């Protein structure tokens, strides 16, 4: 059997501002990344598109309000990236890249997995029930069905999960 640490792998971890994705990153750092490996860890945060409201909906936002919404979105993205960098600071031999992209997370994660040539995609699971998943859609399920590389969906242990 070939030495796993000898192969250069590109591991893409998709994160958002939720605890589930940070758990997935933490789990990946403990269980997927090998010491003395030549792995590249790419951590991807996707800023969702701003909600579109028309004047017909009764919403009309000034340029100041739109700028404030964009600033908030950028601040959240930077906060997530800083948290990721703190979690990865002790990785000595692994190259860590962070990327912030914009769009529908389902589509962008699939596109970036392909574009970057990821060997594996790691993501967390929000643990939505059947009805919520049907209404909101599951990003992890969409990606698992549409990317060409293996997908590792990390669920939080039930004992530490805050969801009921």
């Amino acid at each position: 059997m070939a030495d796993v640490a000898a192969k250069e792998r590109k591991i893409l971890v998709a994160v958002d501002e939720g605890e589930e994705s940070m758990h997935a990153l933490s789990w990946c750092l403990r269980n997927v990344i090998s010491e003395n490996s030549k792995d590249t860890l790419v951590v991807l945060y996707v800023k969702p598109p701003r909600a579109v409201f028309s004047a017909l909906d009764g919403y009309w936002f000034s340029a100041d309000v739109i700028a404030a919404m964009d600033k908030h979105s950028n601040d959240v993205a930077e906060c997530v990236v800083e948290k990721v960098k703190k979690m990865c600071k002790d990785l000595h031999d692994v190259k860590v890249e962070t990327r912030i992209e914009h769009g529908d997370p389902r589509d962008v994660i699939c596109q970036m997995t392909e574009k970057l040539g990821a060997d594996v995609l790691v993501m967390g699971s929000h643990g939505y029930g059947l009805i919520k998943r049907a209404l909101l859609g599951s990003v992890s399920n969409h990606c698992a069905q549409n990317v060409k590389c293996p997908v590792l969906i990390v669920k939080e242990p039930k004992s530490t999960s805050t969801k009921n």
Side-chain angles (χ1 to χ4, degrees), residues 10 12 42 44 97 99-102 107-119 121 146-149:
K10 187 165 282 191
L12 178 62
V42 181
L44 172 66
E97 301 173 7
R99 295 188 66 119
I100 298 174
E101 299 292 335
H102 180 78
D107 298 331
V108 174
I109 293 168
C110 292
Q111 291 164 0
M112 293 305 296
T113 300
E114 181 78 21
K115 180 179 176 181
L116 297 171
D119 294 296
L121 170 61
N146 290 287
V147 300
K148 294 177 183 167
C149 69

Side-chain angles (χ1 to χ4, degrees), residues 4-164:
V4 173
K7 183 181 182 314
E8 292 182 27
R9 300 178 301 171
K10 187 165 282 191
I11 300 164
L12 178 62
V13 181
V15 298
D16 60 17
E17 53 278 1
E19 289 181 30
E20 297 87 357
S21 69
M22 291 302 146
H23 174 73
L25 174 59
S26 176
W27 192 92
C28 177
L29 295 174
R30 289 189 319 270
N31 296 288
V32 178
I33 302 292
S34 307
E35 285 291 321
N36 303 317
S37 72
K38 295 181 178 154
D39 293 338
T40 299
L41 178 66
V42 181
V43 183
L44 172 66
Y45 176 81
V46 181
K47 292 194 301 186
R50 184 178 349 131
V52 177
F53 298 104
S54 72
L56 298 175
D57 295 327
Y59 298 100
W60 190 259
F61 294 120
S62 70
D64 290 343
V65 172
I66 291 172
M69 290 167 50
D70 288 342
K71 181 183 181 324
H72 174 72
S73 177
N74 292 334
D75 290 347
V76 169
E78 288 302 320
C79 183
V80 170
V81 167
E82 284 307 310
K83 192 171 186 179
V84 164
K85 287 179 180 177
K86 285 179 186 173
M87 291 176 70
C88 297
K89 71 178 176 5
D90 294 329
L91 295 175
H92 300 291
D93 299 320
V94 178
K95 183 178 176 189
V96 179
E97 301 173 7
T98 56
R99 295 188 66 119
I100 298 174
E101 299 292 335
H102 180 78
D104 182 326
R106 292 174 297 188
D107 298 331
V108 174
I109 293 168
C110 292
Q111 291 164 0
M112 293 305 296
T113 300
E114 181 78 21
K115 180 179 176 181
L116 297 171
D119 294 296
V120 65
L121 170 61
V122 179
M123 39 193 338
S125 171
H126 285 280
Y128 293 146
L130 183 62
I131 294 172
K132 250 190 186 177
R133 195 170 50 245
L135 291 173
L136 299 175
S138 168
V139 175
S140 57
N141 186 56
H142 177 85
C143 293
Q145 298 299 319
N146 290 287
V147 300
K148 294 177 183 167
C149 69
V151 178
L152 177 59
I153 300 171
V154 180
K155 293 171 68 172
E156 282 194 281
K158 290 210 184 277
S159 60
T160 62
S161 178
T162 58
K163 293 194 186 320
N164 293 329

